[in-house]
Structures are given as C-alpha cells and as structure tokens.
C-alpha cells in the first residue's frame, strides 16, 4: 500500500496542530491557576480567623495539581491555625488536603491516616460536606489501590452525605467515580 504524500502531509499538520493546541490549553490552565492562587494570596493578607483557614485550604487545593510541597505547606498552616481556633470544619479540610497530597506522593499509609482523621473530625461536628468529601477521598484511595468493593462502599456513603449537604454537583461526580471503578 502506497501512502499518498498529500495525506501524510495533512496527517502531520493535523498532529502538529493538535500538539500545539494542547500545549496552549495546558499553559492557559496553569496561568489561570496561578492567577487564582495570586488572588487567594492577596485575600489571605487581609483575612483573619476561620476565613484565613478556608483560604489556606483553598490555596492548598489549588497547588495540588502541580506543586505538592506547597499543598502540604498551606494545609499544615491551615491545620495549625484551625486547631488554635478550634475551627473543626477547617481542620477537617486541611487533614483531607494532607491525605490527598500523601496519596499523590504514593505514601498510602499517611494518605489513609490523614483522610480518616479528616473524616472523624468532620463527623465530630456533623459537617456533612466534610464527611462526604473525606469519604469520597477515601473511596478514590481504595480505587487507586484496586480495592473496588471498598471504593464503591465509600463512594455510596459519600453520596448519602452529599444528599444531606445538598450538593448536587459533587453527588453527580460520585456517580461518575462509581462508574469508573
């Protein structure tokens, strides 16, 4: 079979355009995330108390996709401040951030410990969104280590809490998580 040079040229051009577009889109996402982090860091300067903890956790989450050391740094700061303020909602989120960061760093023992601590903290104050988010993170953890039955069990329990928290978006994401197991 002979390859037509015109078709080969078109295929190469299409491939190059696809690669270029992908790099542009990924670059825009990084720039957008950096801008969002910069905005959050500006808010951090004027924040205090529990709102400061929430912003620290938000920054930790935004760093999660490309700088796990910064995720850990901001989550630890959020944890220390939340603990000193007795702000358990913020503490639960910071513990979850430490857990998902540890999972991304392949530290399974630490990941599970932090996620479970976040779950217990959220349960202690009936913080249903935190309970749901920590259950989901634990479900993702079990999916990652290919314990599918436990993953689905945690995802289902997370859905129950998302319903109580009235978070339809995250509820939908959990159905996707179950479908991907």
């Amino acid at each position: 079979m002979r390859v037509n040079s015109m078709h080969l040229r078109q295929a190469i051009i299409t491939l190059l355009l696809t690669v270029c577009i992908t790099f542009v889109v990924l670059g825009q996402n990084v720039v957008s995330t950096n801008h969002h982090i910069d905005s959050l860091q500006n808010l951090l300067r004027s924040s205090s108390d529990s709102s400061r903890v929430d912003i620290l956790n938000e920054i930790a989450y935004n760093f999660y996709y490309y700088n796990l050391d910064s995720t850990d740094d901001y989550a630890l700061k959020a944890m220390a401040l939340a603990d000193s303020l007795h702000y358990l909602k913020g503490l639960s989120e910071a513990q979850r951030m430490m857990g998902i960061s540890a999972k991304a760093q392949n530290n399974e023992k630490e990941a599970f410990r932090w996620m479970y601590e976040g779950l217990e903290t959220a349960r202690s104050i009936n913080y249903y969104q935190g309970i749901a988010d920590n259950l989901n993170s634990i479900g993702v953890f079990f999916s990652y280590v290919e314990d599918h039955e436990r993953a689905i069990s945690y995802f289902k329990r997370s859905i129950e809490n998302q319903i109580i928290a009235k978070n339809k978006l995250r509820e939908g994401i959990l159905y996707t998580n179950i479908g991907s197991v």
Side-chain angles (χ1 to χ4, degrees):
M1 171 193 257
R2 280 187 68 189
V3 176
N4 183 335
S5 65
M6 181 68 143
H7 290 285
L8 181 60
R9 198 171 316 152
Q10 286 176 332
I12 291 171
I13 290 171
T14 301
L15 176 64
L16 288 173
L17 284 173
T18 302
V19 169
C20 289
I21 289 170
T22 300
F23 281 120
V24 167
V25 169
L26 289 175
Q28 287 175 343
N29 284 343
V30 169
V31 168
S32 175
T33 300
N34 286 338
H35 178 70
H36 186 64
I37 290 171
D38 289 344
S39 296
L40 289 168
Q41 287 172 329
N42 286 334
L43 284 173
L44 193 60
R45 288 183 188 88
S46 62
S47 66
S48 62
D49 299 332
S50 62
S51 65
R52 186 172 183 81
V53 174
D54 293 338
I55 293 168
L56 288 166
N57 279 325
E58 184 71 20
I59 294 171
Y61 181 78
N62 277 272
F63 272 121
Y64 169 71
Y65 294 99
Y66 66 96
N67 188 333
L68 294 171
D69 288 337
S70 291
T71 294
D72 292 345
D73 289 343
Y74 280 94
L76 287 169
K77 289 176 186 174
M79 220 180 321
L81 182 57
D83 194 43
S84 72
L85 297 170
H86 306 289
Y87 178 48
L88 297 180
K89 178 181 168 189
L91 180 61
S92 170
E93 183 61 16
Q95 291 165 327
R96 187 175 78 87
M97 285 295 103
M98 291 299 294
I100 64 173
S101 177
K103 181 183 72 61
Q105 296 174 59
N106 295 316
N107 189 341
E108 294 173 5
K109 186 176 180 179
E110 280 296 298
F112 188 76
R113 182 181 69 81
W114 281 118
M115 289 177 202
Y116 193 77
E117 281 186 31
L119 175 61
E120 289 305 306
T121 301
R123 280 183 174 155
S124 74
I125 57 169
N126 293 324
Y127 171 44
Y128 295 106
Q129 188 61 62
I131 295 168
D133 290 345
N134 279 287
L135 287 168
N136 177 56
S137 293
I138 294 169
V140 170
F141 170 83
F142 281 118
S143 177
Y144 179 76
V145 298
E146 297 187 15
D147 187 340
H148 302 300
E149 284 184 34
R150 286 175 84 180
I152 290 171
S153 172
Y154 277 94
F155 289 147
K156 286 180 177 179
R157 290 170 36 205
S158 180
I159 288 171
E160 293 169 4
N161 284 277
Q162 291 293 4
I163 291 168
I164 295 169
K166 297 181 170 90
N167 192 330
K168 294 284 186 191
L169 175 63
R170 290 192 186 165
E171 181 185 342
I173 291 169
L174 280 155
Y175 287 112
T176 303
N177 286 355
I178 289 172
S180 70
V181 171

